[in-house]
Amino acid sequence: MLAKTSYKYFYSDRCPVRFFTVLLRPYSFLLFILSSFLSFVECDAQVPQFVSQDFPSHSDAQLTTMIQDKRGLIWLASEEGLFRFDGLNYKRYTLQDSTLCHVTALAIRQRSGLWVGMQEGNIFFIDEQNQVWSWIPEEGLPDQPITAMLEDHKGRLWFSTYGEGLYVYDEDRLFNFNVQDGLVENQIYSMALDNLGQVWIATDNGISVCRFENRKKFIRNIGISQGLLDEIVYSFAADSSGMWVGFHSHGFCHFNAELDTVDFVVPSWSHGPVRAIYPNLNEKTWVGTERGIFFCDQASTRTNNGHFQIVAAFKDKSCDQIMADQEGNLWLMIDQNNIYCGSPMIEVFPHEEGDIQAILQDQQGAVWLGTQNGLFELRDGKIAGNRWPDENIISLYEDKYERIWIGTFGQGVICWDPQNDDFSRLRERHGMVNGSVLSIDGYGDDLWLATLGGIVQIYNQRQFPSTGRINYTNLTNLEGLSGKFFYKVFVDNSGNVWFGTDGQGVIRMIDGKVTNLLLEDSFPARTVYTIAQDQEDNIWLGTGGDGVYIYRDGTYEHLDQSKGLRSQTISSIAIDAPEEVLLV
């Protein structure tokens, strides 16, 4: 047992209050961006936080398309040539003929890497050793722009042109689909592969759906008479049942390939040509147009009652491509020369309640937000209510009795029972070493508070706060914990207590024995802001200027900017249900 160096009890300030809670669906984790970053978000629902990727264009040349390879690298086609982006840096690739710079199409093939189509009709490929090869089939290549490329389920290369129709390379021979074969047009804007292995092409005269079996061409055309709203088709997005189709003038529709019919149309559309569609991303349909980016809940989209909302950051801007990467991040090509990336896992909740300093999701699923101006609740995507309007709240914790402990700046800690609206407060005047509570955590009936004056241990009980009395200990005289400034207290799955300090490293307490890992040379960082534990029982420690350390059984792994971190300073760590680690 831990020696009670300054054993105390107190009679607290108590007052019954009236307050109503609403249960919310559970969130894996929540990240709230401060108000200064939210000024451009004007839509009603939350959207990802998009960040510019600063494409290094040296002229007015335009981007044409982008794609991600198996290694996770992003490739960008432009009028200035081909670029590769690794998340931090861009690298420009020089093709064999320096006069060929205008890249118009990209495709990833399983066995031979990246394939590159050119404005002049040439085709190159880059293997996994980053060697550039020119591809010239025996039949020759077209002298018209390559507009799209893809590999089908059988490993065959397809590419479309603006002027010579569609091509497929089957084993060792190149075949052409054109208007003489039944194609609706030879000028093709874009191309897509559906779930049945059919190739769809978009033209000014509708759609042709093409198959190639036993070296025979099969073409089925879809136009106004088959339910399309517009003859001019610009974009596609395949799903499990068919194809989403974007039009020049009438929005978009969904064509069910199995039923051979249009099963969804937009009732009215006034947002311009649809250049890109991405369905069912985080349960939303995303639509890129020449007048902005719009989104709608997936369920309401398919039932024709969806209300599309514009992403205010891209209002009146042209979106030419929407792509999801292997991690589920959303990539946007804007105005043909800007690249943005955002994670649908992290959504922005617009609010005007000031900086959010603490977040708690309770056992009932309600989400509580501590601010400089009180305690708020996240309800249906909006922030509502204010329980303590005069409190500066900097930490939150829920104990096993479903009571919420509220750490304030200068006014102690509040224990609030939402079931009966009762609360008690522990302040400095009751004997607590300090009234500014930066962090709270617990294990069983033991709670630890990190304050500006040191660590406080509280011995919790079921009858509190109705009794107004509770036992606690100021650990200011405990060897190893005295004379230090603490940012964080964290209790691991075994009940061991970890303390993050300012300048004194990380301290661990096991069964009352305190060990400073910095002094024992088993942990090198001096300032620790945040601590978390993953499913493998690894302890993650975010530092002030030295990146992240992953600690287990006396050894650690170090992650810093050389390993891909955006910053050396980590202010918060959260681990969500799929065991992904979020670093702030």
Side-chain angles (χ1 to χ4, degrees):
M1 289 293 292
L2 180 66
K4 297 178 176 61
T5 58
S6 55
Y7 181 84
K8 298 181 182 292
Y9 64 87
F10 75 95
Y11 291 91
S12 66
D13 305 327
R14 298 180 59 247
C15 179
V17 296
R18 305 186 75 181
F19 193 71
F20 301 93
T21 62
V22 175
L23 300 182
L24 303 178
R25 69 175 178 85
Y27 292 82
S28 295
F29 56 74
L30 298 173
L31 172 64
F32 286 81
I33 310 298
L34 302 185
S35 302
S36 60
F37 292 98
L38 299 180
S39 58
F40 64 84
V41 180
E42 300 174 357
C43 54
D44 295 330
Q46 56 271 21
V47 297
Q49 176 81 11
F50 289 101
V51 178
S52 173
Q53 301 304 307
D54 297 325
F55 178 70
S57 178
H58 303 295
S59 69
D60 295 329
Q62 298 176 342
L63 291 167
T64 52
T65 188
M66 59 183 168
I67 198 169
Q68 185 181 35
D69 67 18
K70 294 179 289 185
R71 297 170 293 176
L73 299 169
I74 303 294
W75 295 85
L76 301 166
S78 81
E79 291 181 348
E80 295 180 331
L82 180 67
F83 293 82
R84 190 187 75 181
F85 183 48
D86 63 6
L88 294 175
N89 301 303
Y90 289 89
K91 178 180 179 180
R92 184 175 181 178
Y93 273 73
T94 302
L95 302 176
Q96 290 177 347
D97 187 341
S98 60
T99 64
L100 302 177
C101 293
H102 191 166
V103 181
T104 54
L106 299 173
I108 300 297
R109 302 192 67 187
Q110 292 298 315
R111 294 184 179 181
S112 52
L114 177 73
W115 285 65
V116 183
M118 310 297 293
Q119 174 76 12
E120 299 82 0
N122 303 78
I123 295 178
F124 298 85
F125 66 93
I126 301 175
D127 61 23
E128 294 185 355
Q129 287 72 42
N130 292 324
Q131 292 181 304
V132 180
W133 302 89
S134 177
W135 183 67
I136 305 177
E138 183 177 348
E139 293 79 13
L141 288 170
D143 57 7
Q144 299 296 321
I146 309 295
T147 56
M149 306 173 74
L150 61 82
E151 183 178 54
D152 68 13
H153 302 323
K154 297 181 179 180
R156 299 176 299 194
L157 176 69
W158 294 72
F159 58 92
S160 59
T161 72
Y162 195 79
E164 292 190 19
L166 177 68
Y167 288 85
V168 58
Y169 189 72
D170 186 23
E171 295 181 357
D172 57 355
R173 185 178 172 187
L174 190 63
F175 296 84
N176 176 238
F177 290 67
N178 56 43
V179 292
Q180 295 179 348
D181 300 306
L183 217 60
V184 291
E185 280 280 0
N186 285 336
Q187 291 77 26
I188 300 171
Y189 290 120
S190 63
M191 177 174 59
L193 184 71
D194 70 15
N195 195 48
L196 301 176
Q198 303 176 118
V199 173
W200 295 54
I201 62 167
T203 78
D204 283 334
N205 196 30
I207 297 169
S208 288
V209 182
C210 304
R211 293 185 294 116
F212 192 65
E213 298 178 1
N214 299 319
R215 297 204 167 182
K216 293 183 179 180
K217 306 171 190 177
F218 298 89
I219 299 174
R220 178 167 56 93
N221 295 324
I222 303 173
I224 299 294
S225 60
Q226 285 76 38
L228 296 188
L229 305 178
D230 192 346
E231 289 183 337
I232 303 176
V233 179
Y234 283 153
S235 56
F236 292 123
D239 65 9
S240 59
S241 62
M243 191 71 67
W244 294 87
V245 182
F247 300 113
H248 175 267
S249 301
H250 293 86
F252 61 97
C253 76
H254 182 266
F255 194 94
N256 191 309
E258 297 176 351
L259 301 178
D260 198 29
T261 185
V262 173
D263 59 5
F264 166 81
V265 297
V266 179
S268 62
W269 184 261
S270 59
H271 305 304
V274 175
R275 293 292 185 178
I277 308 175
Y278 203 98
N280 200 24
L281 182 69
N282 203 30
E283 299 182 353
K284 290 180 174 64
T285 296
W286 291 77
V287 181
T289 79
E290 293 183 2
R291 301 177 188 173
I293 299 175
F294 301 82
F295 68 94
C296 184
D297 289 339
Q298 178 76 7
S300 61
T301 303
R302 296 304 302 273
T303 55
N304 287 358
N305 62 0
H307 173 62
F308 278 85
Q309 300 182 68
I310 189 170
V311 180
F314 306 111
K315 185 177 181 180
D316 297 325
K317 295 182 179 295
S318 175
C319 177
D320 305 292
Q321 188 174 352
I322 302 174
M323 180 186 77
D325 66 18
Q326 297 166 7
E327 301 295 330
N329 301 305
L330 193 65
W331 293 75
L332 309 175
M333 183 180 293
I334 303 297
D335 288 341
Q336 294 186 312
N337 55 19
N338 295 291
I339 300 295
Y340 290 83
C341 181
S343 172
M345 297 174 63
I346 302 174
E347 296 180 327
V348 178
F349 295 78
H351 69 94
E352 299 179 353
E353 310 304 338
D355 294 349
I356 295 175
Q357 304 174 138
I359 304 174
L360 171 70
Q361 183 180 25
D362 66 24
Q363 297 177 43
Q364 301 301 320
V367 178
W368 302 96
L369 314 171
T371 76
Q372 291 182 347
N373 305 310
L375 183 68
F376 296 85
E377 183 182 6
L378 179 65
R379 184 184 305 167
D380 297 328
K382 297 182 179 180
I383 297 174
N386 192 346
R387 175 58 185 86
W388 277 278
D390 298 324
E391 300 291 349
N392 186 351
I393 297 172
I394 55 179
S395 58
L396 294 168
Y397 172 77
E398 183 185 25
D399 66 20
K400 69 178 186 180
Y401 304 115
E402 299 187 9
R403 298 180 305 222
I404 297 177
W405 292 76
I406 303 167
T408 73
F409 187 79
Q411 299 300 316
V413 64
I414 303 166
C415 178
W416 172 53
D417 188 346
Q419 302 302 318
N420 55 29
D421 297 333
D422 197 7
F423 78 92
S424 291
R425 185 196 297 264
L426 172 61
R427 305 176 188 257
E428 287 185 43
R429 73 185 187 202
H430 301 120
M432 194 169 80
V433 63
N434 187 273
S436 295
V437 182
L438 277 68
S439 177
I440 309 171
D441 206 355
Y443 188 84
D445 280 330
D446 289 319
L447 274 66
W448 287 268
L449 282 59
T451 77
L452 290 179
I455 300 298
V456 178
Q457 184 175 4
I458 294 178
Y459 308 97
N460 202 4
Q461 53 187 353
R462 181 180 294 274
Q463 295 78 14
F464 189 72
S466 60
T467 61
R469 179 171 177 170
I470 196 167
N471 298 330
Y472 70 93
T473 301
N474 292 320
L475 303 182
T476 53
N477 296 324
L478 185 65
E479 184 178 358
L481 293 182
S482 61
K484 295 177 177 61
F485 183 91
F486 296 92
Y487 286 117
K488 179 70 174 180
V489 57
F490 174 77
V491 185
D492 66 23
N493 296 334
S494 300
N496 305 318
V497 189
W498 300 72
F499 304 98
T501 76
D502 180 15
Q504 302 295 319
V506 64
I507 297 171
R508 182 179 60 188
M509 184 167 65
I510 302 178
D511 296 329
K513 181 182 178 181
V514 177
T515 303
N516 189 314
L517 301 185
L518 177 65
L519 298 179
E520 289 197 348
D521 295 328
S522 56
F523 184 78
R526 291 186 171 274
T527 299
V528 176
Y529 288 153
T530 182
I531 309 172
Q533 185 176 27
D534 64 23
Q535 191 175 27
E536 304 297 326
D537 291 332
N538 299 305
I539 301 295
W540 291 69
L541 302 114
T543 73
D546 199 25
V548 176
Y549 288 86
I550 308 170
Y551 185 90
R552 179 164 184 168
D553 298 333
T555 62
Y556 60 85
E557 178 183 356
H558 184 210
L559 303 179
D560 58 14
Q561 285 181 306
S562 68
K563 302 289 183 64
L565 289 186
R566 291 281 186 177
S567 170
Q568 295 285 97
T569 299
I570 308 299
S571 59
S572 184
I573 299 178
I575 300 174
D576 68 3
E579 289 300 311
E580 293 179 325
V581 180
L582 175 68
L583 307 177
V584 182

